[in-house]
Amino acid sequence: DTPFTLIAGPCQIQSLDHALETAERISGICEGLGLELIYKSSFDKANRSSIDTPRGVGMDEGLAILDEVRKRYNTPVLTDVHEAGQCAHVAEVCEVLQIPAFLSRQTDLLLAAAETGAAINVKKGQFMAPWDMKNVADKIASTGNERIMLCDRGTSFGYNTLVTDFRGLPIMGETGYPVIFDATHSVQQPGGNGTTSGGQRQFVKTLASAATAIGVAGLFIETHEDPDTAPSDGPNMIPLDQLEALLEGLVAFDGLAKI
Amino acid sequence: DTPFTLIAGPCQIQSLDHALETAERISGICEGLGLELIYKSSFDKANRSSIDTPRGVGMDEGLAILDEVRKRYNTPVLTDVHEAGQCAHVAEVCEVLQIPAFLSRQTDLLLAAAETGAAINVKKGQFMAPWDMKNVADKIASTGNERIMLCDRGTSFGYNTLVTDFRGLPIMGETGYPVIFDATHSVQQPGGNGTTSGGQRQFVKTLASAATAIGVAGLFIETHEDPDTAPSDGPNMIPLDQLEALLEGLVAFDGLAKI
Amino acid sequence: DTPFTLIAGPCQIQSLDHALETAERISGICEGLGLELIYKSSFDKANRSSIDTPRGVGMDEGLAILDEVRKRYNTPVLTDVHEAGQCAHVAEVCEVLQIPAFLSRQTDLLLAAAETGAAINVKKGQFMAPWDMKNVADKIASTGNERIMLCDRGTSFGYNTLVTDFRGLPIMGETGYPVIFDATHSVQQPGGNGTTSGGQRQFVKTLASAATAIGVAGLFIETHEDPDTAPSDGPNMIPLDQLEALLEGLVAFDGLAKI
Amino acid sequence: DTPFTLIAGPCQIQSLDHALETAERISGICEGLGLELIYKSSFDKANRSSIDTPRGVGMDEGLAILDEVRKRYNTPVLTDVHEAGQCAHVAEVCEVLQIPAFLSRQTDLLLAAAETGAAINVKKGQFMAPWDMKNVADKIASTGNERIMLCDRGTSFGYNTLVTDFRGLPIMGETGYPVIFDATHSVQQPGGNGTTSGGQRQFVKTLASAATAIGVAGLFIETHEDPDTAPSDGPNMIPLDQLEALLEGLVAFDGLAKI
């Protein structure tokens, strides 16, 4: 068995320079640890808590930047899509299209993404049971595209709070598709700061360790050189200079989990 | 104070004849009880649990049918939109555009709907706290359109289950916008039947009575002459021949609630 | 049908004078409205959040005070028991023994209370489904005592929060036993203030109206002349001078619910 | 750092022979793996779902059996207490008194257990947040007894379901007291089988691996040579012949977690 795949990058695409710098550092770390990297960053935050928070650089500029990242660092790139009409264009650049959790039951979006032939990473809706993801995977597979990853990013638990039910990882695994654990959004506190979401960065290691010991196919971890100034998901991203130490620990657990 | 507004109709548009028949019966009942009716029906079920369940007649045929309903029965009509690009076209026919719960944080859809100038009925996401709906209303109002209704259809509670927190009605009411209670989807059991959602029709009256006693501006109740054969939401729709008796009881509560 | 029974009083027994004054006022209000009163007050808060908060006057003094209340105002009295050994003694004074929610599955306590022959008001554990209360009632009824009331005081919903699922009232009603809605503890925020529980007094009317419209057999409402200085449950008790107006509205709903 | 402590045994004390046989096998496994064992078994199941299910051998016979186990296998023993009056007697035999989750806020029970001077293992109530356990520990510590273990056995999540929030382990650890993860009751489905609780034995390894990777002080695992015939908690106990392999894997994770 190979080590877990790492899906990582800053939550938002901020600029070409910023993307290249983070890609260089993350790909260097992954190379050192023998991890396969998929670089992740978003061109549009389409469901911000409030109308007053920044949404991103937009699709055209975003894809141009991701294209540069993939060429320079020879790494597959992933970004999220929000409407069916975006999928074909995004798939020209991105090896992986990501379906956001809130949109995980939107049939047209799932089908349009699937029909590009790209790999699809679907986040489990916070309102869904892990066994309900089989129906989601079946929608994608109905197009003939079986390059599917199922990703857990937490489940609604009271108000403004998510909980990770780790039984969900093996349950989603029963579909036969690889299971990814999103350690960044699982510690999000949706709407928890009034007009933005809060987060609990201090539990990323806790939950990522748990997921790795259970034996996931991949981890999703957003990171930023200075999360507290990041335009989104700052409270739950980990500082880039802590990524290597975190991953070293996780690789060790992964080795044991996959014996 | 006036009695509550009733948003009602069969979950899906099935045919012109079916729409006209249900509209005739429901508008007759509302006239008798002094209730203002908004006729509701969907042209597309865009987020079915499974790829194998029917989605509807489509937008063009659906809007033509709704247009006929509004002309014949002189009633405003409401339908739900799923992508920003649909809004302008739908608003040519419908007085009210509805934002589905899963999509209640999709900024582009909210803005496109708002910019038509139509009234907007937004369902609270099952993953949202009632106080988070202020941000949603603010997105709509940022366009200058303040014709907003906030609608509760239940909150995630464990797996495959919703619960209605009735504290949410006055909390959403603090925005100043009218609050609607959706008695049909609040008794849905999402994903509860494997590849379709289940429902608990037997609790529609229970929850609608509670909401009316608290004093809502409107009720949302789907109904069908034979729910068990309906193409969607059958388990939670009430039979059309029980609608009048249900509403009579609710009107009485409403009268007391608004003294 | 008769109007709902009211179980009311201050959370804790504070002194003989305090008990008599509150009993006088509450029994006067109930007489005026045609409601049957059961006077409630606790001699011991046996599960306070913190070791540093006051527990009460104790069993002997508490029972003496309750005995005086029942004689002077000719009203049945209710108090809660915490260990099996207390039941026989408490039943010498109290017409109703109450089983606290946390203890609702303690078999010995249920049996000891039941064997006194007193009526038993069992709170549904916050960790229990409404249908699980049938097993609790069966434990009591196994002694031959069927004078059972089942009382809803909210269900765990995330952390430090309760939600009332109003479907639970008719579900518990299927046992055939009368169902009581506790409007005071349903708006409690357990542990929500650090070393004490918080509460949302502003929602007592909301939830009590909902319950009454659904048609409960009784309401449980704690009240105090100055809740903010009360030794426990202050944040969720309503001021005594608001009780009459609240009950007037509820009696009207009750009349409609039981037509 | 030393490996985790193991609290293990069959849920109920069935007979002296049965206790000795299981103790022999479990203590042999622990010796081989370098784990410190605390033998656990209950003399009374005081909160069974239904009145019709067996409760156990009783306190006197149970303590005699546990005493024999501790002498023959030179292992500390743990059992659970349900009323304050039991504590002193139980502490004559048991090195550890356990407070059941439902009773975790009963002040008298906590104090009586603490005053024996025995070590106390308190289960977190399913209705409590992890940070609320500080108040529970403070009650115990108020007696001067600081031999406290805080144990997570799951949190209410909808009806008849528990979820483990693994953030709770480090949160409870901030008290400074050792944290135990109960892998058996965390996979219980309370009331899930009608008149008994269900369970998901298949997830014991999943959750125990997660907890060990996070770095707990101890694990609580009930086991039985034939769980499907056990008088209680059968669906969530693991077969005794699978215990050694399970523990070997966990010891490896523990070694990494405590580097």
Short mmCIF file of all heavy atoms in Angstrom, two decimals, chain D residues 231-255:
data_model
loop_
_atom_site.label_atom_id
_atom_site.label_comp_id
_atom_site.label_asym_id
_atom_site.label_seq_id
_atom_site.Cartn_x
_atom_site.Cartn_y
_atom_site.Cartn_z
N PRO D 231 -25.47 -11.40 28.73
CA PRO D 231 -26.73 -10.85 29.24
C PRO D 231 -26.92 -9.36 28.98
O PRO D 231 -28.02 -8.86 29.11
CB PRO D 231 -26.64 -11.14 30.76
CG PRO D 231 -25.20 -11.39 31.04
CD PRO D 231 -24.59 -11.92 29.79
N SER D 232 -25.85 -8.64 28.62
CA SER D 232 -26.01 -7.22 28.32
C SER D 232 -24.85 -6.74 27.46
O SER D 232 -23.75 -7.31 27.52
CB SER D 232 -26.07 -6.38 29.61
OG SER D 232 -24.94 -6.61 30.40
N ASP D 233 -25.09 -5.72 26.66
CA ASP D 233 -24.07 -5.10 25.82
C ASP D 233 -23.42 -6.08 24.84
O ASP D 233 -22.34 -5.80 24.29
CB ASP D 233 -22.99 -4.40 26.67
CG ASP D 233 -23.44 -3.01 27.10
OD1 ASP D 233 -23.84 -2.23 26.23
OD2 ASP D 233 -23.42 -2.72 28.31
N GLY D 234 -24.07 -7.19 24.55
CA GLY D 234 -23.55 -8.14 23.58
C GLY D 234 -23.24 -7.51 22.23
O GLY D 234 -22.16 -7.74 21.68
N PRO D 235 -24.16 -6.72 21.69
CA PRO D 235 -23.89 -6.19 20.34
C PRO D 235 -22.67 -5.30 20.24
O PRO D 235 -22.16 -5.08 19.15
CB PRO D 235 -25.17 -5.38 20.03
CG PRO D 235 -26.24 -5.94 20.93
CD PRO D 235 -25.51 -6.38 22.17
N ASN D 236 -22.20 -4.75 21.37
CA ASN D 236 -21.02 -3.90 21.28
C ASN D 236 -19.77 -4.46 21.94
O ASN D 236 -18.72 -3.84 21.88
CB ASN D 236 -21.31 -2.45 21.76
CG ASN D 236 -22.29 -2.35 22.91
OD1 ASN D 236 -23.19 -3.18 23.07
ND2 ASN D 236 -22.10 -1.35 23.73
N MET D 237 -19.87 -5.62 22.56
CA MET D 237 -18.65 -6.26 23.09
C MET D 237 -17.94 -7.02 21.97
O MET D 237 -18.58 -7.57 21.08
CB MET D 237 -19.00 -7.24 24.21
CG MET D 237 -19.23 -6.55 25.54
SD MET D 237 -19.15 -7.68 26.94
CE MET D 237 -20.73 -8.52 26.81
N ILE D 238 -16.61 -7.07 22.05
CA ILE D 238 -15.88 -7.86 21.06
C ILE D 238 -15.61 -9.26 21.61
O ILE D 238 -15.49 -9.45 22.82
CB ILE D 238 -14.56 -7.19 20.65
CG1 ILE D 238 -13.63 -7.02 21.85
CG2 ILE D 238 -14.78 -5.85 19.96
CD1 ILE D 238 -12.20 -6.85 21.44
N PRO D 239 -15.52 -10.23 20.73
CA PRO D 239 -15.21 -11.59 21.17
C PRO D 239 -13.82 -11.64 21.81
O PRO D 239 -12.87 -11.02 21.31
CB PRO D 239 -15.25 -12.41 19.88
CG PRO D 239 -16.05 -11.59 18.92
CD PRO D 239 -15.78 -10.16 19.29
N LEU D 240 -13.71 -12.39 22.89
CA LEU D 240 -12.46 -12.48 23.63
C LEU D 240 -11.31 -12.99 22.76
O LEU D 240 -10.16 -12.56 22.91
CB LEU D 240 -12.70 -13.39 24.84
CG LEU D 240 -11.70 -13.51 25.97
CD1 LEU D 240 -11.04 -12.19 26.31
CD2 LEU D 240 -12.39 -14.08 27.21
N ASP D 241 -11.63 -13.84 21.80
CA ASP D 241 -10.54 -14.37 20.98
C ASP D 241 -10.04 -13.37 19.93
O ASP D 241 -9.13 -13.66 19.19
CB ASP D 241 -10.92 -15.71 20.35
CG ASP D 241 -12.11 -15.61 19.43
OD1 ASP D 241 -12.51 -14.48 19.07
OD2 ASP D 241 -12.67 -16.67 19.08
N GLN D 242 -10.65 -12.18 19.89
CA GLN D 242 -10.13 -11.13 19.00
C GLN D 242 -9.39 -10.03 19.77
O GLN D 242 -8.85 -9.10 19.16
CB GLN D 242 -11.28 -10.49 18.20
CG GLN D 242 -12.00 -11.50 17.30
CD GLN D 242 -13.20 -10.88 16.58
OE1 GLN D 242 -13.41 -9.66 16.62
NE2 GLN D 242 -14.00 -11.71 15.93
N LEU D 243 -9.38 -10.15 21.09
CA LEU D 243 -8.84 -9.06 21.89
C LEU D 243 -7.34 -8.87 21.66
O LEU D 243 -6.87 -7.73 21.52
CB LEU D 243 -9.12 -9.32 23.38
CG LEU D 243 -8.64 -8.23 24.34
CD1 LEU D 243 -9.39 -6.93 24.11
CD2 LEU D 243 -8.82 -8.69 25.80
N GLU D 244 -6.60 -9.96 21.62
CA GLU D 244 -5.14 -9.82 21.55
C GLU D 244 -4.72 -9.12 20.26
O GLU D 244 -3.90 -8.20 20.28
CB GLU D 244 -4.48 -11.21 21.64
CG GLU D 244 -2.96 -11.10 21.68
CD GLU D 244 -2.30 -12.38 22.18
OE1 GLU D 244 -3.01 -13.43 22.21
OE2 GLU D 244 -1.13 -12.34 22.56
N ALA D 245 -5.30 -9.53 19.14
CA ALA D 245 -4.93 -8.91 17.87
C ALA D 245 -5.30 -7.43 17.86
O ALA D 245 -4.54 -6.58 17.37
CB ALA D 245 -5.63 -9.63 16.71
N LEU D 246 -6.45 -7.11 18.40
CA LEU D 246 -6.86 -5.71 18.48
C LEU D 246 -5.84 -4.91 19.28
O LEU D 246 -5.39 -3.84 18.85
CB LEU D 246 -8.25 -5.62 19.13
CG LEU D 246 -8.73 -4.21 19.48
CD1 LEU D 246 -8.93 -3.38 18.22
CD2 LEU D 246 -10.03 -4.26 20.28
N LEU D 247 -5.47 -5.45 20.45
CA LEU D 247 -4.57 -4.69 21.33
C LEU D 247 -3.18 -4.53 20.71
O LEU D 247 -2.54 -3.50 20.89
CB LEU D 247 -4.48 -5.38 22.70
CG LEU D 247 -5.75 -5.32 23.55
CD1 LEU D 247 -5.59 -6.17 24.80
CD2 LEU D 247 -6.08 -3.87 23.94
N GLU D 248 -2.71 -5.56 20.02
CA GLU D 248 -1.39 -5.44 19.38
C GLU D 248 -1.34 -4.23 18.46
O GLU D 248 -0.38 -3.46 18.46
CB GLU D 248 -1.08 -6.70 18.57
CG GLU D 248 -0.62 -7.85 19.44
CD GLU D 248 -0.48 -9.15 18.64
OE1 GLU D 248 -0.84 -9.16 17.44
OE2 GLU D 248 -0.01 -10.14 19.22
N GLY D 249 -2.39 -4.06 17.67
CA GLY D 249 -2.42 -2.91 16.76
C GLY D 249 -2.48 -1.59 17.53
O GLY D 249 -1.79 -0.62 17.19
N LEU D 250 -3.24 -1.59 18.60
CA LEU D 250 -3.39 -0.36 19.37
C LEU D 250 -2.10 0.03 20.08
O LEU D 250 -1.75 1.21 20.17
CB LEU D 250 -4.55 -0.50 20.36
CG LEU D 250 -5.91 -0.75 19.72
CD1 LEU D 250 -6.98 -1.00 20.79
CD2 LEU D 250 -6.32 0.42 18.82
N VAL D 251 -1.39 -0.99 20.59
CA VAL D 251 -0.12 -0.71 21.26
C VAL D 251 0.85 -0.05 20.29
O VAL D 251 1.60 0.87 20.66
CB VAL D 251 0.47 -2.00 21.86
CG1 VAL D 251 1.92 -1.81 22.25
CG2 VAL D 251 -0.37 -2.45 23.07
N ALA D 252 0.83 -0.47 19.05
CA ALA D 252 1.73 0.14 18.06
C ALA D 252 1.38 1.61 17.84
O ALA D 252 2.26 2.48 17.81
CB ALA D 252 1.65 -0.64 16.74
N PHE D 253 0.09 1.91 17.68
CA PHE D 253 -0.31 3.32 17.54
C PHE D 253 0.09 4.12 18.78
O PHE D 253 0.56 5.25 18.69
CB PHE D 253 -1.82 3.44 17.35
CG PHE D 253 -2.29 3.11 15.97
CD1 PHE D 253 -3.26 2.13 15.76
CD2 PHE D 253 -1.76 3.76 14.87
CE1 PHE D 253 -3.69 1.82 14.48
CE2 PHE D 253 -2.20 3.47 13.59
CZ PHE D 253 -3.17 2.49 13.39
N ASP D 254 -0.14 3.50 19.93
CA ASP D 254 0.17 4.20 21.19
C ASP D 254 1.64 4.57 21.25
O ASP D 254 2.00 5.67 21.70
CB ASP D 254 -0.20 3.27 22.36
CG ASP D 254 -0.02 3.93 23.70
OD1 ASP D 254 -0.91 4.68 24.10
OD2 ASP D 254 1.04 3.73 24.33
N GLY D 255 2.49 3.67 20.79
CA GLY D 255 3.92 3.96 20.81
C GLY D 255 4.25 5.20 19.99
O GLY D 255 5.05 6.05 20.40
#
